[in-house]
Amino acid sequence: MGKSISTQVAAPGFRHFCQQLLSSLLPSSCLLCGARSAAAPVCPDCERELPALPDCHCPLCLDRTTHGERCGACQMQPPHFDRIHALHAYAFPVDHLVHQLKYAAHLALARYWGEQLAGTTRVAASRVMPLPLHPRRLAERGYNQSLEIARWLARSLQLPLDRHSLIKTRPTRPQAELPLRARKANLKGVFECREDLEGEHVLLVDDVLTTGTTLDEAARTLKLHGAAQVSACVVARTLRR
Ligand SMILES: [Zn+2]
Ligand SMILES: [Zn+2]
């Protein structure tokens, strides 16, 4: 029994290790078109085609608005984070790439995006924090994709990476599976912070922002623990139709 449990936990980590070893030995090619690519997992031609965020967007949540004014949702109830930095709209083929990072351990994407986010994040933050996974989910997957992105973002910005202060206290169902109204209840009180963040400006990192409920709840927790500002950094943002 004990043996089978330890095997289950070790397997994703081992797969992850093999993936990394393989990708360091093979010549790199673009994950989208297969062309040889110097170092990046996406070649410059494909990179230019990735879906951009709308020019006119809500300054708080980046969703599309007519003249760049605050969107209705943020007017009714502003989020607890102060701003978002995002690289792309969440659409094809960014969704495919995110899937490659999240479920196929293409960790070169974490470095690629972490470094790009560092280039667009011009705020004076004091620490970088990934959105945590519940330990059970972490054991299944073998790694936390948000931590992998946060690692490179922190390194590029020369900021401390804080991977332990924010924790997830219980597993939750993926937000995308739930109707809008159930999402807040699914997450209520799900994060806990183990550090006094008095006066800190936290860069909170996640892969995709869908409705913003998860980042909002995490930012709320950080502010309850004293954070003065929370800036969210995500690879992609889902736009409302
Ligand atoms: Zn390509
Ligand atoms: Zn908004």
Side-chain angles (χ1 to χ4, degrees), residues 28-183:
S28 54
S29 53
C30 173
L31 285 172
L32 294 175
C33 71
R36 286 288 296 273
S37 172
V42 179
C43 74
D45 285 343
C46 289
E47 188 175 288
R48 274 190 290 277
E49 301 294 317
L50 294 179
L53 289 158
D55 289 335
C56 291
H57 55 248
C58 168
L60 279 178
C61 75
L62 303 185
D63 205 1
R64 184 181 287 117
T65 54
T66 318
H67 306 291
E69 73 282 11
R70 267 195 195 197
C71 71
C74 288
Q75 281 185 33
M76 286 219 306
Q77 195 172 19
H80 291 89
F81 49 78
D82 297 276
R83 61 192 69 77
I84 307 182
H85 301 276
L87 297 170
H88 301 290
Y90 189 63
F92 181 82
V94 169
D95 53 354
H96 167 74
L97 292 173
V98 169
H99 202 271
Q100 293 292 304
L101 168 63
K102 216 162 159 171
Y103 303 109
H106 277 290
L107 296 183
L109 284 165
R111 177 174 188 168
Y112 171 66
W113 283 326
E115 291 179 343
Q116 285 190 355
L117 276 168
T120 61
T121 305
R122 291 186 187 82
V123 291
S126 50
R127 65 175 78 193
V128 176
M129 271 189 202
L131 212 79
L133 284 182
H134 186 266
R136 198 185 303 162
R137 181 71 50 89
L138 184 61
E140 285 166 9
R141 196 174 293 167
Y143 60 97
N144 173 359
Q145 72 282 357
S146 301
L147 167 60
E148 299 306 319
I149 299 168
R151 204 187 288 288
W152 290 102
L153 175 63
R155 186 179 290 194
S156 304
L157 294 175
Q158 297 184 306
L159 287 173
L161 173 68
D162 178 354
R163 52 185 290 189
H164 297 297
S165 295
L166 187 65
I167 54 167
K168 201 165 178 190
T169 55
R170 61 169 200 272
T172 47
R173 286 175 57 193
Q175 287 292 91
E177 287 177 8
L178 297 170
L180 217 56
R181 287 173 63 191
R183 289 180 179 180

